[in-house]
Amino acid sequence: MARRVSLEDAALIAGKLSREGKRLVLANGCFDLLHVGHVRYLEGARRLGDALLVAVNSDASVRRLKGPGRPIMPEGERAEILGALSCVDYVLIFADDTADALVARLRPAVHAKGTDYREESVPERESVLAHGGRVAIAGDPKSHSTRDVIQTIVRAFGKQG
């Protein structure tokens, strides 16, 4: 099980890994209703370095990013589920809409995003490049989404009383 860490702990871990010549990979997202696309993204991200830190958007930031009714699952549960994945080494919850501040503080060797992005469209790209890091796209082609899972559930169960 991955260790849930604070930003301060994550900064210490990032520094230690860097001093040891190891590559920290940072992945981030909402991860509301974990699905196979998330798993494939995180497994791909983990293969890019020596340790994977997953930053999970807080409930407030998910509401700002995804709109009313989201998140479906609270941040603590989303973090716990992600932490149970064998490919995840560390999990933290962050409150910003982008991971720019995390990137600046942690200076990961690699910032990985899913295949719904291109390297040029990653919001944190400039922050990553500014400290000499690399942006990478990981996972399978974008054919899975939480929105689709929600729509399937509503179609199947929405009319039941």
Side-chain angles (χ1 to χ4, degrees), residues 3-18 24 26 53-55 90-93 102 105-108:
R3 203 169 115 209
R4 184 155 161 201
V5 296
S6 66
L7 179 56
E8 293 74 25
D9 289 340
L12 292 172
I13 291 163
K16 180 178 185 293
L17 290 169
S18 180
L24 175 66
L26 172 65
L53 170 68
V54 179
Y90 306 99
V91 178
L92 68 78
I93 296 171
L102 289 175
R105 178 83 186 269
L106 303 177
R107 303 171 61 91

Side-chain angles (χ1 to χ4, degrees), residues 38-117:
H38 291 134
V39 172
R40 292 173 182 167
Y41 157 48
L42 296 174
E43 287 175 337
R46 178 61 179 84
R47 288 191 292 271
L48 298 171
D50 300 296
L52 176 61
L53 170 68
V54 179
V56 180
N57 287 82
S58 68
D59 290 347
S61 66
V62 173
R63 275 191 291 281
R64 287 191 303 272
L65 293 166
K66 302 293 185 179
R70 301 284 298 274
I72 302 295
M73 297 176 57
E75 62 193 36
E77 291 179 15
R78 291 183 281 124
E80 185 176 340
I81 290 168
L82 288 165
L85 298 175
S86 62
C87 60
V88 177
D89 297 293
Y90 306 99
V91 178
L92 68 78
I93 296 171
F94 75 108
D96 299 326
D97 293 351
T98 70
D100 283 306
L102 289 175
V103 167
R105 178 83 186 269
L106 303 177
R107 303 171 61 91
V110 181
H111 180 51
K113 294 295 276 185
T115 57
D116 45 338
Y117 290 90

